[in-house]
Each structure stands twice: as structure tokens, then as C-alpha cells.
Amino acid sequence: MAIPRQLPNTITIVRILCAPVFLWMLLADAGADGALRWWAAVLFIVAIATDGIDGYLARRYRIVTDLGKLLDPIADKVLTGLAFVGLSILGELPWFVTIIVLMRELGITVHRLLVAGDHVVAAAWMGKLKTVAQAVALSLALLPLWTVFGNGIHVVNAIAMWIAVLLTVASGIDYVVTALRGARRDRSAA
């Protein structure tokens, strides 16, 4: 079965376009636990799940493109970044957590864009693990599960968020170390 060559990239672009809609839904009623909050969480979960779908399609049908390798991590960062910002605006997540995450994400993205002319830096396994941890932690934080399970769910949310933050920092360090090793290797080869 053949699929359109641009389908994975189209899915990635749709994920980017969903991000501001998600943020609007989250903030529209000041984060109240009503229908918009649930729909915002569902939109986030569906959008972040497409990360696995576009990657699978690209690898399965051998239609991996440099554009896809560049856009895919940016789409994840836009979606998760807006989720972190939205939760901080609502006072549900400390701003220092959001700032740490955004600094890592922005730094990696800027570096990827700066070296894109020479080569495309695809996401490493630790970066992918970080994205999964962020997706789980943010999904738990976005879903108003306290209305169903009580306030004890906040402990689960906090643990998941700290795991995501620690993996975010660790994967950022891993990225920098890998980039420095690659630069040294390139200088040695030249």
C-alpha cells in the first residue's frame, strides 16, 4: 500500500497548527474544570500522539525527509511548550519548571536550525524518551482528574512532572555532549 509522500510531514504540520487552538481552549475559561478543559486535554493528547504516527509512517514507508527530521521535534516543542506555559499561566505549574524546560527546548531548537545547512540533527533516543515523559506528565496535569479521583492525583501528577523535568535536563546535557563530540570529530577529519 502506498501512501502520499508528504503525509508524515502534513501530520507534523497539523500538530503545530493544533498547538494554539489547544492553548486557547485551555485558557478560555481560566482553566476551569469544565468541558473546555477536558477538550483541551483531549486535543493535546491526540496531537502529541500523532508524533508516533508520523514517525512510524515515515520509517515504515521509507519516506523520511530532512524537513520531517527538522519539523518533527519542533512540533513537539511547540505543543509541549505551550502546555507548560498554559499550566504556569493558570498557576498549576511553577514558572521555574516551565523556564527550565523552555530554555532547554529553545537552545536545542536554535542549535538544530543553525546547523541545518550543514546537516540535520535528528532526535536521539533520550530526546524521544523525554518527549514521552513530557507527554505523559502534561496529559496528567491537563486532564482534571482530581474531579474524578480526588486531590490525591496531584501527587501522581507531581511525580510524573519531576520525572519529565529530570529527563528534559538529562537529554539536554546528552544533546550538548553529543554535539561537542561530533564537532570535535568533524574538526579532526578536516
Side-chain angles (χ1 to χ4, degrees), residues 1-2 10 16 19 46 53 71 85 100 122 142 145 147 152 154 160:
M1 174 181 122
T10 301
I16 293 170
V46 169
I53 295 168
L71 281 182
V85 168
I100 288 170
L142 291 166
L145 295 175
T147 63
H154 292 302

Side-chain angles (χ1 to χ4, degrees), residues 110-179:
V110 167
H111 181 263
R112 274 197 171 104
L113 293 173
L114 289 174
V115 301
D118 299 328
H119 62 281
V120 173
V121 182
W125 71 270
M126 191 177 266
K128 292 178 182 182
L129 181 61
K130 175 266 315 174
T131 300
V132 170
Q134 285 182 357
V136 169
L138 289 167
S139 296
L140 287 172
L142 291 166
L143 288 165
L145 295 175
W146 50 88
T147 63
V148 178
F149 299 108
N151 286 332
I153 197 71
H154 292 302
V155 174
V156 174
N157 291 354
I159 292 169
M161 191 59 71
W162 278 111
I163 290 170
V165 170
L166 291 174
L167 282 171
T168 298
V169 172
S171 67
I173 292 168
D174 178 65
Y175 181 92
V176 169
V177 168
T178 301

Side-chain angles (χ1 to χ4, degrees), residues 3-170:
I3 64 166
R5 180 160 177 72
Q6 289 303 316
L7 181 60
N9 290 346
T10 301
I11 292 171
T12 301
I13 291 167
V14 169
R15 186 162 69 249
I16 293 170
L17 296 175
C18 283
V21 175
F22 148 75
L23 184 63
W24 174 83
M25 291 172 76
L26 180 64
L27 299 177
D29 62 357
D33 303 337
L36 271 179
R37 176 68 180 246
W38 284 98
W39 281 112
V42 168
L43 179 59
F44 174 85
I45 293 167
V46 169
I48 202 71
T50 66
D51 180 38
I53 295 168
D54 60 10
Y56 168 78
L57 291 173
R59 287 185 302 278
R60 169 74 173 86
Y61 294 100
R62 294 186 177 103
I63 50 177
V64 175
T65 64
D66 283 346
L67 179 64
K69 285 192 253 182
L70 185 65
L71 281 182
D72 187 63
I74 290 172
D76 296 337
K77 288 168 181 37
V78 168
L79 186 60
T80 58
L82 287 179
F84 279 107
V85 168
L87 288 169
S88 290
I89 289 171
L90 295 173
E92 297 177 19
L93 185 67
W95 274 104
F96 78 88
V97 171
T98 297
I99 291 167
I100 288 170
V101 171
L102 292 180
M103 284 176 45
R104 183 265 187 216
E105 304 298 6
L106 185 61
I108 301 297
T109 301
V110 167
H111 181 263
R112 274 197 171 104
L113 293 173
L114 289 174
V115 301
D118 299 328
H119 62 281
V120 173
V121 182
W125 71 270
M126 191 177 266
K128 292 178 182 182
L129 181 61
K130 175 266 315 174
T131 300
V132 170
Q134 285 182 357
V136 169
L138 289 167
S139 296
L140 287 172
L142 291 166
L143 288 165
L145 295 175
W146 50 88
T147 63
V148 178
F149 299 108
N151 286 332
I153 197 71
H154 292 302
V155 174
V156 174
N157 291 354
I159 292 169
M161 191 59 71
W162 278 111
I163 290 170
V165 170
L166 291 174
L167 282 171
T168 298
V169 172

